[in-house]
Amino acid sequence: MDRISGLVSVVITNHNRAPYIRECLDSISRQSYPQWEIIFVDDASTDESVRIAQEWLEQHRDSLPMENQVIIHSLPRNMGFAGAINVGLYLARGEFIAIQDSDDYSHILRLQRQVDFLQSHPEIELVGTNYYSFPHDQPEQKKLANWIQYGEDIRRVYGNGGHCVCHGTILFRGQLFDQIGGPTRRIHGAEDYEFIAKALNAKARIENLPEALYFYRVHANQRSSQFYRKREV
């Protein structure tokens, strides 16, 4: 497909995260970077997620510039994280694709910083950032992540079976997805690890920004807690 120059497609997957959706969507609509679209894929939620997302869109529709498309796509059955995110990735039209988890939110400068970095570093295909984690009931108690790695250490860590890129923070060139596709459904619970590993195996260069541009909410029902807990939590 012909990707839209300068556009960032923000892919948000959701399953039963109704309490956090407004803050998540607000954080994208307030980005300093003007060229974005939101692709919100609901994975057959049984709570009020879809209604809240649709209400948010109705409340903001008139104030959003015409180029800021918002798609709310509700899946008829639960496909799991890999299935849902692949739907969003295939719908993405942008030169760049960003990932956002529906229970987290982004710093207002996030997209600007990451796009600027990729535009000034044409050899890099994917860039993540550092982030703050916080307990869902104590949002003021933010803690800087200490497991993120940089430069050549990223490839070394993944080569040893480790993980050092926070999936919710990544922004990458759309052509990378066109080349390697999204995560498969073969590695349940480690789909984010798989996508980074696939990119590195395809010789893609990856970097992290040391600036914390993402806010990771810690709560009992988050997807990651079913399989692993981030090291600093």
Side-chain angles (χ1 to χ4, degrees):
M1 64 180 292
D2 293 330
R3 295 194 169 275
I4 299 175
S5 178
L7 179 68
V8 177
S9 298
V10 183
V11 176
I12 302 171
T13 59
N14 177 76
H15 181 69
N16 291 344
R17 298 291 179 263
Y20 314 121
I21 288 172
R22 291 184 184 276
E23 187 171 29
C24 168
L25 295 175
D26 283 345
S27 76
I28 301 303
S29 69
R30 295 169 181 166
Q31 288 293 303
S32 62
Y33 186 81
Q35 289 181 262
W36 52 261
E37 66 175 357
I38 292 174
I39 301 170
F40 182 92
V41 181
D42 184 80
D43 194 15
S45 290
T46 56
D47 65 2
E48 297 297 306
S49 290
V50 174
R51 179 185 63 79
I52 289 172
Q54 290 173 338
E55 286 181 354
W56 182 92
L57 178 56
E58 288 303 313
Q59 292 167 1
H60 292 79
R61 192 187 301 276
D62 293 340
S63 62
L64 293 175
M66 291 184 62
E67 61 269 21
N68 295 140
Q69 171 177 265
V70 178
I71 295 174
I72 298 174
H73 188 85
S74 183
L75 299 176
R77 64 180 179 86
N78 185 269
M79 297 178 63
F81 176 76
I85 199 169
N86 273 309
V87 170
L89 293 172
Y90 276 109
L91 291 172
R93 307 176 300 159
E95 177 184 1
F96 307 104
I97 300 174
I99 303 300
Q100 167 96 17
D101 289 337
S102 62
D103 47 357
D104 300 336
Y105 65 95
S106 289
H107 190 285
I108 191 172
L109 297 176
R110 176 195 168 184
L111 299 184
Q112 187 71 63
R113 292 278 199 266
Q114 290 180 290
V115 170
D116 286 349
F117 181 84
L118 289 186
Q119 288 179 333
S120 62
H121 295 81
E123 75 281 8
I124 304 295
E125 294 190 68
L126 181 153
V127 60
T129 79
N130 206 342
Y131 68 94
Y132 289 106
S133 63
F134 64 94
H136 74 100
D137 55 347
Q138 296 175 302
E140 72 284 355
Q141 294 191 12
K142 295 179 173 64
K143 184 177 180 182
L144 187 66
N146 59 14
W147 61 282
I148 303 299
Q149 298 294 322
Y150 306 92
E152 291 304 314
D153 285 339
I154 294 175
R155 184 172 295 276
R156 177 185 58 78
V157 168
Y158 280 88
N160 291 328
H163 193 25
C164 62
V165 177
C166 177
H167 190 255
T169 73
I170 65 174
L171 183 147
F172 52 95
R173 302 183 194 276
Q175 65 188 19
L176 178 63
F177 170 71
D178 297 338
Q179 177 188 355
I180 70 172
T184 69
R185 303 175 74 176
R186 295 194 299 266
I187 309 178
H188 188 48
E191 297 92 344
D192 50 354
Y193 172 89
E194 180 197 19
F195 182 73
I196 301 299
K198 281 176 63 176
L200 290 169
N201 287 339
K203 308 303 181 184
R205 293 191 60 182
I206 293 175
E207 186 55 279
N208 278 316
L209 301 181
E211 187 176 4
L213 297 170
Y214 191 77
F215 299 88
Y216 175 85
R217 190 187 312 269
V218 180
H219 58 93
N221 296 322
Q222 64 196 135
R223 186 182 69 91
S224 61
S225 67
Q226 301 173 38
F227 308 103
Y228 59 90
R229 178 69 71 185
K230 283 189 172 65
R231 299 174 196 178
E232 79 286 357
V233 174

